[in-house]
C-alpha cells in the first residue's frame, strides 16, 4: 500500500505540473501577448504613425481595448486633418 500511495502522489504531482504549464501557456497567449501587442502599437502611435491598426480577434476585454485603441487612432487622425485644413497659412 505505501508503494501505491507513493505512486498516486507522484502521478498527482505530475498532473499538477502539466496543468500549471498549460495554464501558464494559455495566459501567455490569451492575455500577456495581446497586451504586449497593444503596448507596442501605443509606442508606435507616440512616434506619430497613425497608419497602424490593432486587429480585433476577440470579444472580451482585450478585444474591447483593441477596438478602443483603433477608434482613438481614427479620432486623432481626423482631428489632425481638421487642424491642418483650418489652420491659417
Amino acid at each position: 500500500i505505501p508503494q501505491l500511495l507513493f505512486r498516486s502522489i507522484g502521478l498527482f504531482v505530475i498532473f499538477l505540473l502539466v496543468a500549471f504549464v498549460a495554464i501558464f501557456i494559455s495566459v501567455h497567449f490569451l492575455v500577456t501577448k495581446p497586451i504586449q501587442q497593444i503596448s507596442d502599437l501605443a509606442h508606435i502611435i507616440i512616434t506619430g504613425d497613425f497608419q497602424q491598426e490593432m486587429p480585433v480577434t476577440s470579444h472580451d476585454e482585450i478585444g474591447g481595448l483593441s477596438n478602443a485603441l483603433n477608434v482613438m487612432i481614427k479620432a486623432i487622425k481626423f482631428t489632425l486633418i481638421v487642424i491642418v485644413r483650418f489652420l491659417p497659412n
Side-chain angles (χ1 to χ4, degrees), residues 47-60:
T47 68
D49 181 0
F50 300 108
Q51 301 306 314
Q52 305 294 322
E53 192 170 289
M54 178 58 66
V56 179
T57 58
S58 64
H59 297 288
D60 58 4

Side-chain angles (χ1 to χ4, degrees), residues 41-42 45 49-54 66-80:
L41 180 57
I45 293 169
D49 181 0
F50 300 108
Q51 301 306 314
Q52 305 294 322
E53 192 170 289
M54 178 58 66
S66 298
N67 187 53
L69 187 60
N70 291 335
V71 170
M72 183 185 74
I73 292 168
K74 289 175 185 171
I76 292 171
K77 285 194 311 193
F78 177 77
T79 302
L80 288 173

